[in-house]
Coordinates of all heavy atoms in Angstrom, one line a residue:
M1 N 14.1 19.4 1.8 CA 14.9 19.0 2.9 C 14.0 18.3 4.0 O 13.1 18.9 4.4 CB 15.7 20.1 3.5 CG 16.6 19.7 4.6 SD 17.8 21.0 5.0 CE 17.1 21.8 6.3
A2 N 14.4 17.1 4.4 CA 13.6 16.4 5.4 C 13.9 17.0 6.8 O 15.0 17.3 7.1 CB 13.9 14.9 5.3
G3 N 12.8 17.0 7.6 CA 13.0 17.4 9.0 C 13.7 16.4 9.8 O 13.8 15.2 9.4
Q4 N 14.1 16.8 11.0 CA 14.8 15.8 11.9 C 13.9 15.6 13.1 O 13.1 16.4 13.4 CB 16.1 16.4 12.3 CG 17.1 16.6 11.2 CD 18.4 17.1 11.7 OE1 18.6 17.3 12.9 NE2 19.4 17.2 10.8
E5 N 14.1 14.4 13.7 CA 13.4 14.1 14.9 C 13.8 15.1 16.0 O 15.0 15.5 16.0 CB 13.7 12.7 15.4 CG 13.1 11.7 14.4 CD 13.5 10.2 14.8 OE1 14.4 10.1 15.6 OE2 12.8 9.3 14.3
T6 N 12.9 15.4 17.0 CA 13.2 16.2 18.1 C 13.0 15.5 19.4 O 12.0 14.9 19.6 CB 12.3 17.5 18.1 OG1 12.5 18.1 16.8 CG2 12.7 18.4 19.2
E7 N 14.0 15.5 20.3 CA 13.9 14.9 21.6 C 13.3 15.9 22.5 O 13.8 17.0 22.7 CB 15.2 14.4 22.1 CG 15.1 13.6 23.4 CD 16.4 13.2 23.9 OE1 17.5 13.5 23.4 OE2 16.4 12.4 24.9
I8 N 12.1 15.5 23.1 CA 11.4 16.4 24.1 C 11.5 15.8 25.5 O 11.3 14.6 25.6 CB 9.9 16.6 23.7 CG1 9.8 17.2 22.3 CG2 9.2 17.4 24.7 CD1 10.4 18.6 22.1
L9 N 11.8 16.6 26.5 CA 11.9 16.1 27.8 C 10.7 16.6 28.7 O 10.4 17.8 28.6 CB 13.2 16.6 28.5 CG 14.5 16.2 27.7 CD1 15.7 16.9 28.4 CD2 14.6 14.7 27.6
S10 N 10.2 15.8 29.5 CA 9.2 16.2 30.5 C 9.9 16.5 31.7 O 10.7 15.6 32.2 CB 8.2 15.0 30.7 OG 7.2 15.4 31.7
V11 N 9.8 17.7 32.3 CA 10.6 18.1 33.4 C 9.7 18.6 34.6 O 8.6 19.1 34.4 CB 11.6 19.1 33.0 CG1 12.6 18.6 32.0 CG2 11.0 20.4 32.5
V12 N 10.3 18.6 35.8 CA 9.8 19.2 37.0 C 10.9 20.2 37.4 O 12.0 19.8 37.6 CB 9.5 18.2 38.1 CG1 9.0 18.9 39.3 CG2 8.4 17.2 37.6
V13 N 10.5 21.4 37.6 CA 11.5 22.4 38.1 C 11.0 22.9 39.5 O 9.9 23.3 39.7 CB 11.5 23.7 37.2 CG1 12.5 24.7 37.7 CG2 11.8 23.3 35.7
V14 N 11.9 22.6 40.5 CA 11.7 23.1 41.8 C 12.4 24.4 42.0 O 13.6 24.5 41.8 CB 12.2 22.0 42.9 CG1 11.9 22.5 44.3 CG2 11.5 20.7 42.6
L15 N 11.6 25.4 42.4 CA 12.2 26.8 42.4 C 12.8 27.1 43.8 O 12.3 26.6 44.8 CB 11.0 27.8 42.1 CG 10.3 27.6 40.8 CD1 9.2 28.6 40.7 CD2 11.3 27.8 39.7
K16 N 13.8 27.9 43.8 CA 14.3 28.5 45.0 C 13.2 29.4 45.6 O 12.4 30.0 44.9 CB 15.6 29.3 44.7 CG 16.7 28.4 44.3 CD 17.9 29.3 44.0 CE 19.1 28.4 43.5 NZ 20.3 29.2 43.1
S17 N 13.2 29.4 46.9 CA 12.1 30.1 47.6 C 11.9 31.6 47.1 O 10.8 32.0 47.0 CB 12.3 30.1 49.1 OG 13.5 30.7 49.5
E18 N 13.0 32.3 46.9 CA 12.9 33.7 46.5 C 12.2 33.8 45.1 O 11.6 34.8 44.8 CB 14.2 34.4 46.5 CG 15.3 33.9 45.6 CD 16.2 32.8 46.3 OE1 15.8 32.2 47.3 OE2 17.3 32.5 45.7
H19 N 12.3 32.8 44.3 CA 11.7 32.8 42.9 C 10.3 32.2 43.0 O 9.5 32.5 42.1 CB 12.6 32.1 41.9 CG 13.9 32.8 41.6 ND1 14.0 33.8 40.7 CD2 15.1 32.7 42.2 CE1 15.2 34.2 40.6 NE2 15.9 33.6 41.6
A20 N 10.0 31.4 44.0 CA 8.7 30.9 44.1 C 7.7 31.9 44.6 O 6.5 31.7 44.5 CB 8.7 29.7 45.1
E21 N 8.2 33.0 45.1 CA 7.3 34.1 45.6 C 6.6 34.8 44.5 O 5.5 35.4 44.7 CB 8.1 35.0 46.5 CG 8.6 34.4 47.8 CD 9.5 35.3 48.5 OE1 9.7 36.5 48.1 OE2 10.1 34.9 49.5
D22 N 7.1 34.8 43.3 CA 6.5 35.4 42.2 C 6.4 34.5 41.0 O 7.2 34.6 40.0 CB 7.3 36.7 41.8 CG 6.6 37.6 40.7 OD1 5.4 37.2 40.3 OD2 7.1 38.6 40.4
I23 N 5.5 33.5 41.1 CA 5.4 32.5 40.1 C 5.2 33.0 38.7 O 5.8 32.6 37.7 CB 4.3 31.4 40.5 CG1 4.7 30.7 41.7 CG2 4.0 30.5 39.3 CD1 5.8 29.6 41.6
P24 N 4.3 34.0 38.5 CA 4.0 34.4 37.1 C 5.3 35.0 36.4 O 5.6 34.7 35.3 CB 3.0 35.5 37.3 CG 2.2 35.1 38.5 CD 3.3 34.6 39.4
A25 N 6.1 35.8 37.2 CA 7.3 36.3 36.6 C 8.4 35.2 36.3 O 9.0 35.2 35.3 CB 7.9 37.3 37.5
T26 N 8.4 34.2 37.2 CA 9.4 33.1 37.1 C 9.0 32.2 35.9 O 9.8 31.8 35.1 CB 9.5 32.3 38.4 OG1 9.9 33.2 39.4 CG2 10.5 31.2 38.3
V27 N 7.7 32.0 35.8 CA 7.2 31.2 34.6 C 7.5 31.9 33.3 O 7.9 31.2 32.4 CB 5.6 30.9 34.8 CG1 5.0 30.4 33.5 CG2 5.4 29.9 35.9
A28 N 7.3 33.2 33.3 CA 7.7 33.9 32.1 C 9.2 33.7 31.7 O 9.5 33.6 30.5 CB 7.3 35.4 32.2
R29 N 10.0 33.8 32.7 CA 11.5 33.6 32.5 C 11.7 32.1 32.0 O 12.6 31.9 31.1 CB 12.2 33.9 33.7 CG 12.2 35.4 34.0 CD 12.9 35.8 35.2 NE 14.4 35.7 35.0 CZ 15.2 35.6 36.0 NH1 14.8 35.7 37.2 NH2 16.5 35.4 35.7
L30 N 11.1 31.2 32.6 CA 11.2 29.8 32.2 C 10.8 29.6 30.7 O 11.4 28.8 30.0 CB 10.5 28.8 33.1 CG 11.0 28.7 34.5 CD1 10.1 28.0 35.4 CD2 12.4 28.1 34.5
Q31 N 9.7 30.2 30.3 CA 9.2 30.1 29.0 C 10.2 30.7 28.0 O 10.4 30.2 26.9 CB 7.8 30.8 28.8 CG 6.8 30.0 29.5 CD 5.4 30.8 29.6 OE1 5.4 32.0 29.8 NE2 4.4 30.0 29.5
V32 N 10.9 31.8 28.3 CA 11.9 32.4 27.5 C 13.0 31.3 27.3 O 13.6 31.3 26.2 CB 12.5 33.7 28.1 CG1 13.7 34.1 27.4 CG2 11.4 34.7 28.0
L33 N 13.3 30.5 28.3 CA 14.3 29.5 28.2 C 13.9 28.3 27.3 O 14.7 27.4 27.0 CB 14.8 29.0 29.5 CG 15.5 30.1 30.4 CD1 15.7 29.6 31.8 CD2 16.8 30.5 29.8
G34 N 12.6 28.3 26.9 CA 12.1 27.2 26.1 C 11.1 26.2 26.8 O 10.7 25.3 26.1
L35 N 10.8 26.4 28.0 CA 9.9 25.5 28.8 C 8.5 25.8 28.3 O 8.0 26.9 28.4 CB 10.1 25.7 30.3 CG 9.2 24.7 31.1 CD1 9.7 23.3 31.0 CD2 9.3 25.2 32.6
Q36 N 7.8 24.7 27.9 CA 6.4 24.8 27.7 C 5.7 24.4 29.0 O 5.7 23.2 29.3 CB 6.0 23.8 26.5 CG 6.6 24.1 25.2 CD 6.2 25.5 24.7 OE1 5.0 25.8 24.6 NE2 7.1 26.3 24.2
V37 N 5.2 25.4 29.7 CA 4.6 25.1 31.0 C 3.3 24.4 31.0 O 2.4 24.9 30.2 CB 4.5 26.4 31.8 CG1 3.9 26.2 33.2 CG2 5.9 27.1 32.0
E38 N 3.2 23.3 31.7 CA 1.9 22.5 31.7 C 1.2 22.8 33.0 O 0.0 22.8 33.0 CB 2.2 21.1 31.5 CG 2.8 20.8 30.1 CD 3.2 19.3 29.9 OE1 3.0 18.5 30.8 OE2 3.7 19.1 28.8
S39 N 1.9 23.0 34.1 CA 1.2 23.2 35.4 C 2.2 23.9 36.4 O 3.4 23.8 36.2 CB 0.7 21.9 36.0 OG 1.7 21.1 36.4
T40 N 1.6 24.5 37.4 CA 2.4 25.1 38.5 C 1.7 24.8 39.8 O 0.5 24.6 39.9 CB 2.5 26.7 38.3 OG1 1.2 27.2 38.4 CG2 3.2 27.1 37.0
D41 N 2.6 24.6 40.8 CA 2.1 24.5 42.2 C 2.7 25.6 43.0 O 3.8 25.6 43.4 CB 2.5 23.1 42.7 CG 2.0 22.9 44.1 OD1 1.7 23.8 44.9 OD2 1.8 21.7 44.5
D42 N 1.9 26.7 43.1 CA 2.4 27.9 43.7 C 2.8 27.7 45.2 O 3.7 28.3 45.7 CB 1.3 29.0 43.7 CG 1.0 29.4 42.3 OD1 1.5 28.8 41.3 OD2 0.2 30.4 42.1
D43 N 2.0 26.8 45.9 CA 2.3 26.5 47.3 C 3.7 25.8 47.5 O 4.4 26.1 48.5 CB 1.2 25.7 47.9 CG -0.1 26.4 48.0 OD1 -0.1 27.6 48.1 OD2 -1.1 25.7 47.9
K44 N 4.0 25.0 46.6 CA 5.3 24.2 46.7 C 6.4 24.8 45.8 O 7.6 24.3 45.9 CB 5.1 22.8 46.3 CG 4.1 22.0 47.2 CD 4.0 20.6 46.8 CE 3.0 19.9 47.8 NZ 2.8 18.5 47.4
G45 N 6.1 25.8 45.0 CA 7.1 26.4 44.1 C 7.6 25.4 43.1 O 8.8 25.3 42.8
V46 N 6.7 24.7 42.4 CA 7.1 23.7 41.4 C 6.4 24.0 40.1 O 5.2 24.4 40.1 CB 6.6 22.3 41.9 CG1 6.9 21.2 40.8 CG2 7.4 21.9 43.2
V47 N 7.2 23.9 39.0 CA 6.7 24.1 37.7 C 6.9 22.8 36.9 O 8.0 22.3 36.9 CB 7.3 25.3 37.0 CG1 6.8 25.5 35.6 CG2 7.2 26.6 37.9
E48 N 5.9 22.4 36.2 CA 6.1 21.2 35.3 C 5.8 21.6 33.9 O 5.0 22.5 33.6 CB 5.1 20.1 35.7 CG 5.3 19.6 37.1 CD 4.3 18.4 37.4 OE1 4.2 17.5 36.6 OE2 3.7 18.5 38.5
G49 N 6.6 20.9 33.0 CA 6.4 21.2 31.6 C 7.3 20.3 30.7 O 7.8 19.3 31.2
T50 N 7.4 20.7 29.4 CA 8.3 20.0 28.5 C 9.2 21.0 27.8 O 8.9 22.2 27.8 CB 7.4 19.4 27.4 OG1 6.6 20.3 26.7 CG2 6.5 18.3 28.0
I51 N 10.4 20.5 27.4 CA 11.4 21.3 26.8 C 12.2 20.5 25.8 O 12.4 19.3 26.0 CB 12.3 21.9 27.9 CG1 13.2 23.0 27.3 CG2 13.1 20.9 28.6 CD1 13.9 23.9 28.3
D52 N 12.6 21.1 24.7 CA 13.5 20.5 23.7 C 14.8 20.1 24.5 O 15.3 20.9 25.2 CB 13.8 21.5 22.6 CG 14.5 20.9 21.4 OD1 15.4 20.1 21.6 OD2 14.1 21.2 20.3
A53 N 15.2 18.9 24.2 CA 16.4 18.4 25.0 C 17.6 19.3 24.8 O 18.5 19.4 25.7 CB 16.7 16.9 24.5
V54 N 17.8 19.9 23.6 CA 19.0 20.7 23.4 C 18.9 22.0 24.3 O 20.0 22.7 24.4 CB 19.1 21.1 21.9 CG1 19.3 19.9 21.0 CG2 18.0 22.0 21.4
K55 N 17.8 22.3 24.9 CA 17.7 23.5 25.8 C 17.8 23.2 27.3 O 17.7 24.1 28.1 CB 16.4 24.2 25.4 CG 16.3 24.7 24.0 CD 15.0 25.4 23.7 CE 15.0 26.0 22.3 NZ 13.7 26.6 22.0
I56 N 18.0 21.9 27.6 CA 17.9 21.5 29.0 C 19.0 22.2 29.8 O 18.9 22.5 31.0 CB 17.9 20.0 29.2 CG1 17.6 19.7 30.7 CG2 19.2 19.4 28.8 CD1 16.2 20.0 31.1
A57 N 20.2 22.4 29.2 CA 21.3 23.0 30.0 C 21.0 24.4 30.4 O 21.3 24.8 31.6 CB 22.6 23.0 29.1
G58 N 20.3 25.1 29.6 CA 19.9 26.5 30.0 C 18.9 26.5 31.1 O 19.0 27.4 32.0
L59 N 18.0 25.5 31.1 CA 17.1 25.4 32.2 C 17.8 25.0 33.5 O 17.5 25.6 34.5 CB 16.0 24.4 31.8 CG 14.8 24.2 32.7 CD1 14.0 25.5 32.8 CD2 13.9 23.1 32.3
R60 N 18.7 24.1 33.4 CA 19.4 23.7 34.6 C 20.3 24.9 35.2 O 20.6 24.9 36.3 CB 20.3 22.5 34.3 CG 19.5 21.2 34.2 CD 20.3 20.0 34.1 NE 19.5 18.8 34.4 CZ 19.7 17.7 33.7 NH1 20.7 17.6 32.8 NH2 19.0 16.6 34.0
D61 N 20.7 25.8 34.3 CA 21.6 26.9 34.7 C 20.7 28.1 35.2 O 21.3 29.0 35.8 CB 22.4 27.4 33.5 CG 23.5 26.4 33.2 OD1 23.9 25.6 34.0 OD2 24.1 26.5 32.0
F62 N 19.4 28.0 35.1 CA 18.6 29.1 35.5 C 18.7 29.3 37.0 O 18.6 28.4 37.8 CB 17.1 28.7 35.2 CG 16.1 29.7 35.8 CD1 16.2 31.1 35.5 CD2 15.1 29.3 36.6 CE1 15.2 32.0 36.0 CE2 14.1 30.2 37.1 CZ 14.2 31.5 36.8
E63 N 19.1 30.5 37.4 CA 19.4 30.8 38.8 C 18.3 30.6 39.8 O 18.5 30.4 41.0 CB 20.0 32.2 39.0 CG 19.0 33.3 38.8 CD 18.7 33.7 37.4 OE1 19.2 33.1 36.4 OE2 17.8 34.6 37.2
G64 N 17.0 30.6 39.3 CA 15.9 30.4 40.1 C 15.5 29.0 40.4 O 14.6 28.7 41.2
A65 N 16.2 28.1 39.7 CA 15.9 26.6 39.9 C 16.8 26.0 41.0 O 18.0 26.1 40.9 CB 16.1 25.9 38.6
S66 N 16.1 25.4 42.0 CA 16.8 24.7 43.0 C 17.2 23.3 42.5 O 18.2 22.8 42.8 CB 15.9 24.6 44.2 OG 16.5 23.8 45.2
Y67 N 16.3 22.8 41.6 CA 16.5 21.4 41.1 C 15.6 21.3 39.8 O 14.5 21.8 39.8 CB 16.0 20.4 42.2 CG 16.1 19.0 41.8 CD1 17.4 18.4 41.8 CD2 15.0 18.2 41.4 CE1 17.5 17.0 41.4 CE2 15.2 16.9 41.0 CZ 16.4 16.3 41.1 OH 16.5 15.0 40.7
V68 N 16.2 20.6 38.9 CA 15.5 20.2 37.6 C 15.5 18.7 37.5 O 16.6 18.1 37.4 CB 16.1 20.9 36.4 CG1 15.4 20.5 35.1 CG2 16.0 22.4 36.5
R69 N 14.3 18.1 37.4 CA 14.2 16.7 37.3 C 13.6 16.3 36.0 O 12.6 16.9 35.6 CB 13.4 16.1 38.4 CG 13.3 14.5 38.4 CD 12.5 14.0 39.5 NE 11.1 14.2 39.2 CZ 10.2 14.6 40.1 NH1 10.5 14.7 41.4 NH2 8.9 14.8 39.8
I70 N 14.2 15.4 35.2 CA 13.7 14.9 34.0 C 12.8 13.7 34.3 O 13.3 12.7 34.9 CB 14.8 14.5 33.0 CG1 15.6 15.7 32.6 CG2 14.2 13.9 31.8 CD1 16.8 15.4 31.8
D71 N 11.5 13.8 34.0 CA 10.5 12.8 34.3 C 10.4 11.8 33.2 O 9.8 10.7 33.4 CB 9.2 13.3 34.7 CG 9.1 13.7 36.2 OD1 10.0 13.3 36.9 OD2 8.1 14.2 36.6
G72 N 10.7 12.2 32.0 CA 10.5 11.3 30.8 C 11.0 12.0 29.6 O 11.4 13.2 29.6
E73 N 11.2 11.2 28.5 CA 11.6 11.8 27.3 C 10.9 11.1 26.2 O 10.5 9.9 26.3 CB 13.1 11.7 27.1 CG 13.7 10.3 27.2 CD 15.2 10.3 27.2 OE1 15.8 10.4 28.3 OE2 15.8 10.1 26.2
F74 N 10.7 11.8 25.1 CA 10.0 11.2 23.9 C 10.5 11.9 22.7 O 11.1 13.0 22.7 CB 8.5 11.2 24.0 CG 7.9 12.6 24.3 CD1 7.5 13.4 23.3 CD2 7.8 13.0 25.6 CE1 6.9 14.6 23.5 CE2 7.3 14.3 25.9 CZ 6.8 15.1 24.8
I75 N 10.4 11.2 21.5 CA 10.8 11.7 20.3 C 9.7 12.2 19.4 O 8.7 11.4 19.3 CB 11.6 10.6 19.5 CG1 12.8 10.0 20.3 CG2 12.0 11.1 18.1 CD1 13.9 11.0 20.5
C76 N 9.8 13.4 18.9 CA 8.7 13.9 18.0 C 9.3 13.8 16.6 O 10.4 14.4 16.3 CB 8.4 15.4 18.3 SG 7.6 15.6 19.9
E77 N 8.6 13.1 15.8 CA 9.0 13.0 14.4 C 8.5 14.2 13.6 O 7.4 14.7 13.9 CB 8.5 11.7 13.8 CG 9.1 10.5 14.4 CD 8.7 9.1 13.8 OE1 8.1 9.2 12.7 OE2 8.9 8.1 14.4
P78 N 9.2 14.6 12.6 CA 8.7 15.7 11.7 C 7.5 15.3 11.0 O 7.2 14.1 10.8 CB 9.9 15.9 10.8 CG 10.6 14.6 10.7 CD 10.5 14.0 12.1
P79 N 6.6 16.2 10.7 CA 5.4 15.9 9.9 C 5.8 15.3 8.6 O 6.8 15.6 8.0 CB 4.7 17.2 9.8 CG 5.7 18.3 10.1 CD 6.8 17.6 10.9
A80 N 4.9 14.3 8.2 CA 5.2 13.7 6.9 C 5.0 14.7 5.7 O 4.2 15.7 5.9 CB 4.2 12.5 6.7
A81 N 5.7 14.5 4.7 CA 5.5 15.4 3.5 C 4.1 15.3 3.0 O 3.5 14.2 3.0 CB 6.5 15.0 2.4
D82 N 3.6 16.4 2.6 CA 2.2 16.5 2.1 C 2.1 15.9 0.7 O 2.7 16.4 -0.3 CB 1.7 17.9 2.1 CG 0.2 18.0 1.7 OD1 -0.4 17.0 1.5 OD2 -0.3 19.2 1.6
A83 N 1.5 14.7 0.6 CA 1.4 14.0 -0.7 C 0.6 14.8 -1.7 O 0.7 14.6 -2.9 CB 0.8 12.6 -0.5
G84 N -0.2 15.7 -1.3 CA -1.1 16.5 -2.2 C -0.5 17.9 -2.5 O -1.2 18.8 -2.8
D85 N 0.8 18.0 -2.4 CA 1.5 19.3 -2.6 C 1.4 19.6 -4.1 O 1.9 19.0 -5.0 CB 2.9 19.1 -2.2 CG 3.6 20.5 -2.2 OD1 3.0 21.5 -2.5 OD2 4.8 20.5 -1.8
D86 N 0.6 20.7 -4.4 CA 0.4 21.1 -5.8 C 1.1 22.4 -6.1 O 0.6 23.2 -6.9 CB -1.1 21.3 -6.0 CG -1.9 20.0 -6.0 OD1 -1.3 19.0 -6.4 OD2 -3.1 20.0 -5.6
E87 N 2.2 22.7 -5.4 CA 2.9 23.9 -5.7 C 3.5 23.9 -7.1 O 3.9 22.9 -7.6 CB 4.1 24.1 -4.7 CG 3.6 24.4 -3.3 CD 4.8 24.6 -2.4 OE1 5.8 25.2 -2.8 OE2 4.7 24.2 -1.2
P88 N 3.5 25.1 -7.8 CA 4.1 25.1 -9.1 C 5.5 24.6 -9.1 O 6.3 24.9 -8.1 CB 4.0 26.6 -9.5 CG 3.0 27.2 -8.5 CD 3.0 26.3 -7.3
G89 N 5.9 23.9 -10.1 CA 7.3 23.4 -10.2 C 7.5 22.1 -9.5 O 8.6 21.5 -9.5
H90 N 6.5 21.5 -8.9 CA 6.5 20.3 -8.2 C 5.7 19.2 -8.9 O 4.6 19.0 -8.5 CB 6.1 20.4 -6.7 CG 7.0 21.2 -5.9 ND1 8.1 20.6 -5.2 CD2 7.0 22.5 -5.6 CE1 8.7 21.6 -4.6 NE2 8.1 22.7 -4.8
N91 N 6.2 18.7 -10.0 CA 5.5 17.8 -10.8 C 5.9 16.4 -10.5 O 7.1 16.0 -10.8 CB 5.6 18.1 -12.3 CG 4.7 17.3 -13.2 OD1 4.1 16.3 -12.7 ND2 4.6 17.7 -14.4
S92 N 5.1 15.6 -9.9 CA 5.5 14.2 -9.5 C 5.5 13.3 -10.7 O 5.9 12.1 -10.5 CB 4.6 13.7 -8.4 OG 3.2 13.6 -8.9
E93 N 5.1 13.7 -11.9 CA 5.1 12.8 -13.0 C 6.3 12.9 -13.9 O 6.4 12.3 -14.9 CB 3.8 13.1 -13.9 CG 2.5 12.8 -13.1 CD 1.3 13.2 -14.0 OE1 1.5 13.4 -15.2 OE2 0.2 13.3 -13.4
D94 N 7.3 13.7 -13.4 CA 8.5 13.9 -14.2 C 9.4 12.7 -14.1 O 9.6 12.1 -13.2 CB 9.3 15.1 -13.8 CG 8.7 16.4 -14.2 OD1 7.9 16.3 -15.2 OD2 8.9 17.5 -13.6

């Protein structure tokens, strides 16, 4: 079965002040929601990262987020099938 392309979003999450006070705990919660954290600005309460587009609604619903901005989007294609696949039962000469 062939893989499907995945739409990835680059996002900036501006945290509400009460959640910006404990960045490590808030980052952990964002990661559970699917955010791959790339950077944080503790002074401004901002977290940047990437997330699968199908998970953006959950990120926007996060009660600690004052604002979620999408900075960009890109498509990740599935890895190409391994042409050197020598698994038993996979004979390309049939």
Side-chain angles (χ1 to χ4, degrees):
M1 182 165 98
Q4 295 184 358
E5 294 178 340
T6 302
E7 183 181 9
I8 302 295
L9 304 174
S10 177
V11 298
V12 175
V13 181
V14 179
L15 302 174
K16 293 179 180 175
S17 60
E18 61 270 17
H19 291 273
E21 293 173 4
D22 189 0
I23 293 286
T26 302
V27 164
R29 293 180 67 199
L30 292 169
Q31 289 172 324
V32 168
L33 294 172
L35 184 67
Q36 298 294 313
V37 176
E38 295 174 3
S39 68
T40 61
D41 183 333
D42 295 7
D43 295 331
K44 294 182 181 177
V46 174
V47 180
E48 296 183 51
T50 57
I51 192 166
D52 189 318
V54 299
K55 297 180 179 179
I56 191 69
L59 187 62
R60 286 187 166 144
D61 289 341
F62 174 56
E63 72 278 359
S66 175
Y67 181 76
V68 176
R69 182 180 74 218
I70 297 173
D71 272 354
E73 57 187 87
F74 52 96
I75 303 294
C76 290
E77 294 183 15
D82 186 1
D85 192 356
D86 291 331
E87 290 183 37
H90 293 271
N91 188 349
S92 61
E93 295 177 16
D94 286 341

